[in-house]
Amino acid sequence: MEIRIDDLSGKEIQQFLLNHLSNMHEISPPESVHALDISALRAPDVTIWSAWIEGELAGCGALKQLSNNHGEIKSMRTAEKFIRRGVAANLLAHILQESRRRQYARLSLETGTEPEFQPAHRLYERFGFEACAPFADYVEDPNSIFYTRVLQQFSPAL
């Protein structure tokens, strides 16, 4: 599996993300869909990676910088053909590694509560994420669950 930064110029990733956004709107009420569209994923505070297996797009995941020490996972998605082949786990490990490299103290995310999101909940929990209160600009929502993970503790300067 090859994971690489994606500039979102390819038709394959663009269609993949359009399908992702459409699926989120099928599953969740409109006010509870927090997936980013392609223009938002191109913002300077967002990095997106695509995963490729034998030349085929297998999935994607993004990291949004919320502050100098806090990042948010966005747009995690595995292509149907590659489900249960480690794509999401590899992307998540990659995003965790990049978050540590950026010296984030915390990494958080929002995902849905509908049954379709249960595999994602299990993945995040397996990687040490814990349910938390809404963060950044999010508010309590019965259709959202929030997760966070402490990456490193910083001691105050003496």
Side-chain angles (χ1 to χ4, degrees):
M1 179 180 315
E2 177 191 0
I3 296 175
R4 61 183 184 231
I5 291 178
D6 203 304
D7 67 5
L8 303 177
S9 64
K11 299 260 185 264
E12 196 170 7
I13 188 69
Q14 289 178 11
Q15 188 59 55
F16 188 74
L17 288 166
L18 287 172
N19 292 344
H20 171 63
L21 196 55
S22 175
N23 183 241
M24 294 299 96
H25 282 279
E26 290 169 6
I27 295 170
S28 301
E31 68 276 6
S32 298
V33 174
H34 302 288
L36 300 178
D37 64 19
I38 291 171
S39 64
L41 288 167
R42 286 186 170 133
D45 61 346
V46 177
T47 306
I48 185 164
W49 292 269
S50 53
W52 300 81
I53 297 176
E54 297 177 5
E56 289 187 64
L57 179 59
C60 65
L63 177 59
K64 179 178 182 180
Q65 183 169 324
L66 298 176
S67 71
N68 287 338
N69 64 0
H70 191 186
E72 178 183 6
I73 296 171
K74 301 295 293 181
S75 301
M76 286 286 290
R77 182 71 171 209
T78 301
E80 191 72 31
K81 176 179 178 179
F82 296 101
I83 289 176
R84 286 184 274 295
R85 291 187 48 192
V87 174
N90 278 291
L91 280 163
L92 184 54
H94 187 86
I95 291 169
L96 280 162
Q97 180 181 12
E98 176 63 15
S99 297
R100 286 187 190 98
R101 189 194 68 73
R102 294 180 184 187
Q103 298 184 337
Y104 290 164
R106 178 174 300 280
L107 186 59
S108 303
L109 64 103
E110 177 277 337
T111 191
T113 58
E114 292 81 1
E116 293 88 344
F117 294 103
Q118 291 306 311
H121 298 181
R122 289 191 297 274
L123 174 72
Y124 296 128
E125 290 165 3
R126 188 171 48 133
F127 273 77
F129 285 83
E130 297 177 344
C132 67
F135 60 92
D137 295 330
Y138 292 106
V139 296
E140 286 292 339
D141 179 345
N143 299 297
S144 290
I145 185 168
F146 305 94
Y147 284 99
T148 196
R149 178 176 166 178
V150 172
L151 300 176
Q152 47 198 330
Q153 300 285 345
F154 293 101
S155 300
L158 299 176

